[in-house]
Amino acid sequence: KVSVGATAEYLLGLYSIQEPAAQIPATLFTALRGKIVLDSCAAPGGKTVQLANLMNNTGAIIALDAKRKRLSALSNHLERCHITNTVVYLLDARHTSQLRLKFDRILIDAPCSGNFVTDSNWFTRRTMDDVERNAILQREILTQAASCLSDAGEIVYSTCSLEPEENELNMDWAIRNLSLKIEDINCHGQKGL
């Protein structure tokens, strides 16, 4: 048996590995080619590579991550997959406005509390304080994203969490506080609350 991440084809960048749910967010933008795109929480880079492929390596992607040790995984992933339209920054997405750029598309795959369905230890490692802390962090990232969004821009917000505080309640907050609006999307799964 050989791991799918240890084949010659993988190492040559002919394919990338993502969970099925992780493949959805980048596909939700109306158009990407030639756009200026922010991947606000980019490491380890699966969605960044997917964005670049959907853009046909046109336009530009600014890929941020707040942790230096995650940047090497992100940079290696981009290099392995021959991505040429991406610039990587060590920057917390809560400080995106420091870039002084406006983005046509912004992907926020927000840091979250995780998913108790896929993590058997979730209930022993998480508390409601963790959920609340993550919800605040996510709202800070959303605030920065909204301030850097071009007039006709789009934000796709996703988490792997099932907690309403990190999803539906944050979307409600964004509508009330950031003058954003929710668009219906054609996507797999059930409607949110």
Side-chain angles (χ1 to χ4, degrees):
K1 292 184 179 181
V2 176
S3 166
V4 293
T7 66
E9 292 83 0
Y10 177 82
L11 297 172
L12 290 170
L14 299 177
Y15 66 87
S16 188
I17 302 168
Q18 280 183 298
E19 293 180 356
Q23 296 174 24
I24 296 171
T27 67
L28 299 178
F29 292 107
T30 58
L32 285 167
R33 288 187 184 205
K35 303 293 185 187
I36 307 299
V37 178
L38 174 67
D39 188 349
S40 60
C41 307
K47 292 178 190 72
T48 315
V49 167
Q50 185 184 17
L51 285 167
N53 286 330
L54 291 168
M55 296 169 71
N56 200 25
N57 242 348
T58 64
I61 300 172
I62 306 300
L64 309 180
D65 207 86
K67 296 182 180 171
R68 182 177 299 279
K69 67 180 182 178
R70 293 171 52 94
L71 287 184
S72 60
L74 172 59
S75 297
N76 288 338
H77 197 77
L78 295 170
E79 184 177 351
R80 182 183 60 77
C81 292
H82 313 284
I83 303 306
T84 59
N85 69 338
T86 302
V87 177
V88 175
Y89 283 95
L90 174 61
L91 184 66
D92 189 313
R94 294 176 290 180
H95 305 291
T96 302
S97 61
Q98 290 178 6
L99 296 172
R100 295 190 174 114
L101 293 170
K102 289 288 183 180
F103 297 94
D104 302 310
R105 305 290 184 263
I106 299 176
L107 176 61
I108 303 172
D109 185 40
C112 66
S113 298
N115 185 331
F116 59 82
V117 175
T118 58
D119 181 358
S120 59
N121 296 319
W122 192 91
F123 288 103
T124 59
R125 296 186 313 120
R126 297 283 187 229
T127 67
M128 278 311 293
D129 288 341
D130 296 326
V131 172
E132 289 298 328
R133 198 170 23 260
N134 279 319
I136 291 167
L137 168 65
Q138 294 156 353
R139 288 192 297 268
E140 291 171 349
I141 293 170
L142 275 164
T143 300
Q144 283 288 296
S147 75
C148 297
L149 188 64
S150 67
D151 290 339
E154 301 172 1
I155 295 174
V156 170
Y157 174 88
S158 67
T159 73
C160 62
S161 171
L162 300 176
E163 307 309 309
E165 292 84 355
E166 298 183 38
N167 293 290
E168 291 90 348
L169 296 179
N170 271 348
M171 293 302 91
D172 182 60
W173 178 88
I175 292 167
R176 289 183 287 108
N177 293 285
L178 302 176
S179 300
L180 297 176
K181 65 180 184 173
I182 303 291
E183 296 288 336
D184 286 331
I185 56 171
N186 184 10
C187 184
H188 301 289
Q190 298 176 350
K191 277 193 156 299
L193 300 175

